[in-house]
Amino acid sequence: SEMCIRDRYFINKKNEIEANEYLVKFSQLIRSNLDTIKDNSTSLVNEFYRLELYLSLEKLRFGEKLSYSFFLDPNLLAEKNSIPVMLLQPFVENAIIHGILPKEEGGKIDIIALKTSYKECKIIIKDNGVGYDLTNKNKSHKSISIDFTSQRIDLLSKVKNALFSFKITDRYLSEKTKGTIVTFILPIYK
């Protein structure tokens, strides 16, 4: 697969210590992902753990070109607060590939989870990449991850009888700066 080819290239080009660190983190990420296959939901803490593993791997590959930060509202730290599993990772990956890597100077991804009410949270994935509109100008087809997430969100809303939503906006529209914001509104369920 493409991931295996990229990983093998990275490992061949790096020194033994960096390659070993990469392999350890990669195996932790795979193990963590396999642990969630049987589950439809996970805690925010676990989801942020997996995202941090993923981003730390990409940081090893891209170095100073990529930086990231996390903020998890302390009110959301309880293990009982669950969200759909693997909902955020495709958008973090898109932020790297389509937003930050095309930039000459690199960029940053911020992942923020806020409790907005006793039964709802907001998760924001914000990057300072090239921007959503720019990355989609030359695409003749919609992103598979966007289509899949839309279908998944619709299904979750029906099954859970609660409102799940997400939107993607160009940061220039609200902040007059380059980048993309993906915002999820999710019910907090047990």
Side-chain angles (χ1 to χ4, degrees):
S1 77
E2 182 183 332
M3 184 69 167
C4 291
I5 292 168
R6 288 188 325 206
D7 293 337
R8 191 166 48 238
Y9 176 80
F10 173 82
I11 290 166
N12 288 337
K13 291 292 181 188
K14 295 293 181 178
N15 68 41
E16 190 176 331
I17 293 170
E18 287 174 312
N20 195 30
E21 180 182 355
Y22 187 83
L23 285 173
V24 167
K25 287 185 178 194
F26 185 71
S27 68
Q28 289 172 335
L29 181 61
I30 295 296
R31 193 175 316 113
S32 178
N33 287 341
L34 288 173
D35 288 343
T36 63
I37 286 176
K38 63 188 180 303
D39 300 321
N40 291 323
S41 63
T42 187
S43 71
L44 269 170
V45 172
N46 287 340
E47 190 70 3
F48 271 41
Y49 169 74
R50 273 193 299 283
L51 286 173
E52 202 285 324
L53 271 174
Y54 170 72
L55 283 165
S56 68
L57 284 168
E58 296 297 55
K59 175 78 176 161
L60 282 170
R61 288 175 61 214
F62 300 118
E64 297 305 311
K65 190 155 176 87
L66 173 65
S67 64
Y68 59 89
S69 74
F70 287 91
F71 175 78
L72 180 57
D73 187 328
N75 295 311
L76 291 170
L77 287 175
E79 282 291 321
K80 61 188 175 189
N81 294 335
S82 296
I83 65 165
V85 72
M86 292 294 287
L87 187 66
L88 309 175
Q89 193 271 338
F91 293 92
V92 174
E93 185 175 344
N94 281 346
I96 295 169
I97 294 168
H98 302 296
I100 291 172
L101 291 183
K103 285 180 68 172
E104 200 169 304
E105 69 277 11
K108 184 177 183 197
I109 298 172
D110 298 306
I111 303 170
I112 303 154
L114 303 168
K115 188 170 186 177
T116 54
S117 74
Y118 75 95
K119 60 180 183 176
E120 189 176 83
C121 72
K122 178 189 290 189
I123 301 173
I124 301 161
I125 301 167
K126 184 189 293 194
D127 70 65
N128 65 350
V130 296
Y132 182 69
D133 290 341
L134 181 59
T135 62
N136 283 295
K137 277 183 183 171
N138 298 321
K139 290 185 181 178
S140 58
H141 65 281
K142 276 178 76 175
S143 165
I144 293 170
S145 62
I146 292 172
D147 285 344
F148 179 73
T149 302
S150 292
Q151 293 169 11
R152 191 174 176 201
I153 291 284
D154 289 344
L155 183 61
L156 283 165
S157 293
K158 289 174 186 167
V159 169
K160 298 286 186 183
N161 196 24
L163 181 61
F164 290 76
S165 69
F166 84 104
K167 69 177 180 177
I168 303 170
T169 54
D170 194 292
R171 281 181 73 178
Y172 194 80
L173 298 174
S174 59
E175 301 176 16
K176 302 297 183 224
T177 187
K178 286 187 178 182
T180 302
I181 302 171
V182 180
T183 305
F184 288 90
I185 304 295
L186 305 173
I188 296 171
Y189 57 95
K190 314 261 190 274

